[in-house]
Amino acid sequence: PNVFIAYIIGNYVIKDLYGYGKDILIRTGNRIKWWLSKCIWCVLTSCMCYAVLYAVIVIAGICTGSFSFVPTKEVCYSLLHMDKQLIIDNPNLTGLMASMMVMSLVMTITFIQIAVGLIVSPTIAYIIVVSFLVVGAFSDNPLVISIYCMALRSGMYSPGGYNMWLGLLIMAVIIMCCIIAGILYARRMDIISKKGL
C-alpha cells in the first residue's frame, strides 16, 4: 500500500505550485501556510487511502461470511510465516495487527516524499521512499522506519523485536524535520523560475 500511496502523493506539491497553488501563494503571500496545507493534504490523502483499503477488506470479509478483526493462528502460520510457538506464547495477535496498521499509516505520513519532492525533485523523492521500503526488508537498522511495519520484527511478536514506541518516536522526529525543512525552503524558494521533474 505504501508504494501505491507514494505514487498518488507523487509530485502533487510541485504540480500544485505550477497550477492553481501558485496563484493562491501569490495572493496570500504566506508560503508557510501554503507548505503546511500540503502537509495536511498528505495526511488526509494517506488516511483516505488506508480507509478505502480497510473498507474493501471489511466488505470482502462480510460478503464471504468470514470477516473478523481477530487474525486466526492459521492465517499467521500460512500467510505471515510466524513461528507456531511464538504465536502460542503471544495471545495478543489483534493488538499486534492493529499496531502494524497504525505504524504503516504513520510511516506513510512522514512527509519525506513531499519535502524531498519540493526541495530536490519528485522523482528522487519517490525513489527514496521506495528504497526505504525495500531496504527495510533486508536491514536491521532501527533508523530504517519501514522495519517497524513488519509483524515478524515487532517486539509485540518476538521478545527480540523492535519497540513500536521507538519507531513512533523516530517517525515523529522525521515528520518534524521534514516540516521544518519544507518551511525553511518555502520561505526562500523562487516560485517563478522553479522547474519540476
Side-chain angles (χ1 to χ4, degrees), residues 25-62:
L25 187 53
I26 291 171
R27 272 187 244 146
T28 60
N30 194 324
R31 296 169 182 232
I32 294 174
K33 285 184 180 176
W34 174 83
W35 168 247
L36 293 177
S37 73
K38 302 306 120 189
C39 293
I40 292 169
W41 178 89
C42 178
V43 171
L44 294 177
T45 301
S46 299
C47 290
M48 185 183 70
C49 288
Y50 271 88
V52 169
L53 173 67
Y54 295 140
V56 168
I57 293 170
V58 168
I59 291 169
I62 291 171

Side-chain angles (χ1 to χ4, degrees), residues 178-190:
C178 289
I179 290 174
I180 292 168
I183 288 172
L184 294 175
Y185 185 80
R187 289 172 62 183
R188 62 177 182 80
M189 70 181 174
D190 182 358

